[in-house]
Amino acid sequence: MEAIAINTDKLTWHAACRVEDIPQDGGACALIDGRQIAIFNFARRGEWYATDNECPHRQQMAIGRGMIGSQGEEPKVACPFHKRTFSLKTGHCLNDDGYRINTFPVKVEQGVVFVGV
Ligand code: FES
């Protein structure tokens, strides 16, 4: 399943982990190209997302441990430290305009989670 449709011409897909490595309706962190990427299995919505693991507020490597949920139709993750909340689709901070994280496309094939970087 591909969670986000984007132009894949400039992407490299990285096999990050297996589906069972990420808790349902939760996240975990993978090291991809030397970069910490948070991967989320949003099982309630049947969607997968990937973002920077680093929160830009105080540079904590914590986003992968954040609570996920929805704000209207928008899937979101809250940093566990000071609750800055980011859209899992766009990376924009929903409760503080000054912050943003990168998002990455995810696809799952034969039980393997791939992240496009
Ligand atoms: S470090 Fe993430 S909200 Fe402060």
Side-chain angles (χ1 to χ4, degrees):
M1 176 191 71
E2 190 162 334
I4 301 170
I6 68 163
N7 177 0
T8 57
D9 291 350
K10 297 173 188 163
L11 284 179
T12 301
W13 289 100
H14 297 264
C17 60
R18 299 198 60 81
V19 166
E20 57 267 28
D21 295 330
I22 311 291
Q24 288 205 349
D25 294 310
C29 177
L31 196 62
I32 297 176
D33 261 356
R35 175 176 192 167
Q36 288 193 28
I37 305 282
I39 301 172
F40 301 95
N41 176 4
F42 207 148
R44 286 193 305 274
R45 296 172 60 122
E47 297 166 352
W48 287 81
Y49 294 98
T51 70
D52 289 328
N53 192 43
E54 181 177 332
C55 179
H57 176 232
R58 295 272 169 86
Q59 288 71 48
Q60 297 289 332
M61 294 296 187
I63 297 294
R65 289 182 278 122
M67 288 274 292
I68 59 174
S70 299
Q71 183 168 317
E73 290 300 305
E74 196 72 18
K76 64 178 184 175
V77 58
C79 176
F81 280 88
H82 314 100
K83 305 297 185 234
R84 296 297 188 289
T85 301
F86 300 90
S87 164
L88 288 168
K89 284 187 175 173
T90 67
H92 286 107
C93 187
L94 301 172
N95 56 1
D96 190 334
D97 279 343
Y99 298 102
R100 186 185 164 276
I101 55 177
N102 291 304
T103 60
F104 305 93
V106 180
K107 64 179 180 179
V108 176
E109 290 178 355
Q110 298 178 341
V112 178
V113 181
F114 292 85
V115 177
V117 176

